[in-house]
Amino acid sequence: SDTFDIDAYMHTVEVVFTAQEILVGRADYPTPQIGETSRRFRQLGLGYDNLGALLMALGAAYDSPEGRAWAAALTSLMTGHAYAVSARTAARMGPFAEFAENEEHMLRVLDMHREEAASIDEELVPADLLGAAQEAWDDACETAGTYGVRNSQASVLAPTGTIGLVMDCDTTGIEPDLGLCKMKKLVGGGTMTIVNQTVPRALGRLGYDSTQVDEIVAYIDENKSILGAPHLSPEHVAVFACSMGDNPIHYLGHVRMMAAVQPFISGAISKTVNMPEEATVADVEQLHIDAWQMGLKAVAIYRDNCK
């Protein structure tokens, strides 16, 4: 179905976050100091995959207020519910070793996350999704105020290149689609291209009938582009914008998406900001200033055709 399963998402957050919490004290770390810090602070890094494909399937452009509101709500629910789980775990097992020394700041940070959840545009996302995110933060802050939290950090957004392949995702981490077609290597040698599964699903969501969908997909398959496809209305072109190709997302669209979700992530975001080959030194400088002013903790650029 085309509705987001909030209960399943929250259940998954609980299961994976609890698994990470069990593992954090038993893992190997590069140096003894890092191992000691990890055991005393118990930082975890829950994240997600396939966000770009989800937005496309919803018929929402990646670089749009709707796309950013969905991403913010999903990220807020993930981290908020993770901290609620962390606080419940602390009620049974005690908070992380350094919690008492950091209590004032830790609770203040949780409260800042909660306040940011109130600023997501409620006109652009389903009320039950936004409600679940806000309730999760209320639960997290209330329980943490009594018992503390088991983990000093709950979430980061990783690139997920390998795990995304294993999970058959069309897009990795918080990235949009790289291109509308994928290259598949054939067992007997050679390659074939196939149009990503998300594309027909998005077209159906946007109201195209099955014949129109088939003709648009056939056009993409042949031309490796959606520009000029039959039946496609101009306002839907942005829904199919990608990191690369002839219908690219503007590089600041990548930065704006990161800025929308950063208030709901404990750590930073690993994501490529794709810039065109003609980007100048001044453009790159301004991008870093923009990213800093938007509150990002990290930014990485890739200028087309660079090594």
Side-chain angles (χ1 to χ4, degrees):
S1 80
D2 272 347
T3 53
F4 188 81
D5 192 335
I6 295 167
D7 291 338
Y9 184 64
M10 291 176 72
H11 176 70
T12 306
V13 167
E14 280 177 39
V15 170
V16 179
F17 192 81
T18 304
Q20 288 184 319
E21 156 57 28
I22 291 165
L23 288 170
V24 71
R26 301 164 190 269
D28 289 324
Y29 295 97
T31 69
Q33 291 93 327
I34 293 173
E36 182 60 23
T37 302
S38 299
R39 286 182 285 275
R40 295 188 70 74
F41 287 88
R42 309 188 72 79
Q43 312 96 315
L44 303 187
L46 190 65
Y48 50 62
D49 225 342
N50 223 28
L51 178 85
L54 171 78
L55 296 180
M56 192 182 284
L58 290 167
Y62 188 87
D63 184 13
S64 70
E66 188 187 1
R68 289 186 282 273
W70 263 93
L74 289 167
T75 311
S76 184
L77 176 54
M78 175 183 75
T79 303
H81 191 48
Y83 272 125
V85 171
S86 184
R88 289 206 292 273
T89 307
R92 296 193 305 277
M93 305 183 71
F96 66 92
E98 298 290 337
F99 176 76
E101 201 176 323
N102 293 282
E103 181 171 5
E104 177 198 337
H105 307 296
M106 190 77 221
L107 295 178
R108 177 171 53 83
V109 167
L110 292 182
D111 215 49
M112 287 164 72
H113 284 304
R114 171 162 64 172
E115 281 171 24
E116 283 289 335
S119 65
I120 300 170
D121 191 335
E122 58 199 24
E123 301 289 308
L124 299 177
V125 283
D128 53 352
L129 177 61
L130 199 48
Q134 289 165 343
E135 277 174 40
W137 283 111
D138 288 342
D139 182 16
C141 291
E142 193 181 320
T143 312
T146 308
Y147 300 105
V149 285
R150 183 74 174 158
N151 313 92
S152 63
Q153 294 195 359
S155 56
V156 296
L157 289 181
T160 70
T162 309
I163 200 170
L165 282 174
V166 173
M167 297 194 298
D168 202 25
C169 295
D170 269 343
T171 64
T172 58
I174 191 178
E175 294 286 3
D177 216 341
L178 260 176
L180 298 180
C181 299
K182 283 219 176 11
M183 298 283 291
K184 292 273 188 188
K185 280 190 176 168
L186 302 174
V187 176
T191 60
M192 66 179 281
T193 60
I194 53 169
V195 177
N196 290 347
Q197 297 303 297
T198 314
V199 175
R201 191 170 171 180
L203 290 166
R205 174 89 177 207
L206 291 167
Y208 297 91
D209 66 38
S210 58
T211 307
Q212 291 173 320
V213 170
D214 288 346
E215 288 178 16
I216 295 170
V217 168
Y219 180 92
I220 297 169
D221 198 24
E222 190 176 337
N223 297 278
K224 308 296 173 261
S225 170
I226 202 164
L227 299 184
H231 317 299
L232 189 71
S233 81
E235 67 265 27
H236 292 155
V237 172
V239 172
F240 301 97
C242 297
S243 298
M244 302 169 82
D246 57 5
N247 181 26
I249 293 159
H250 189 275
Y251 58 83
L252 284 177
H254 295 276
V255 181
R256 284 190 287 265
M257 176 57 86
M258 293 164 79
V261 306
Q262 182 66 83
F264 308 110
I265 296 284
S266 300
I269 303 165
S270 176
K271 177 181 175 351
T272 305
V273 175
N274 295 80
M275 299 188 81
E277 192 170 354
E278 55 272 19
T280 63
V281 172
D283 292 336
V284 174
E285 180 182 36
Q286 189 58 51
L287 184 149
H288 280 84
I289 293 168
D290 290 342
W292 169 67
Q293 286 177 330
M294 288 185 211
L296 295 190
K297 296 182 180 181
V299 68
I301 66 153
Y302 174 71
R303 183 164 165 268
D304 198 24
N305 276 333
C306 286
K307 286 188 176 174

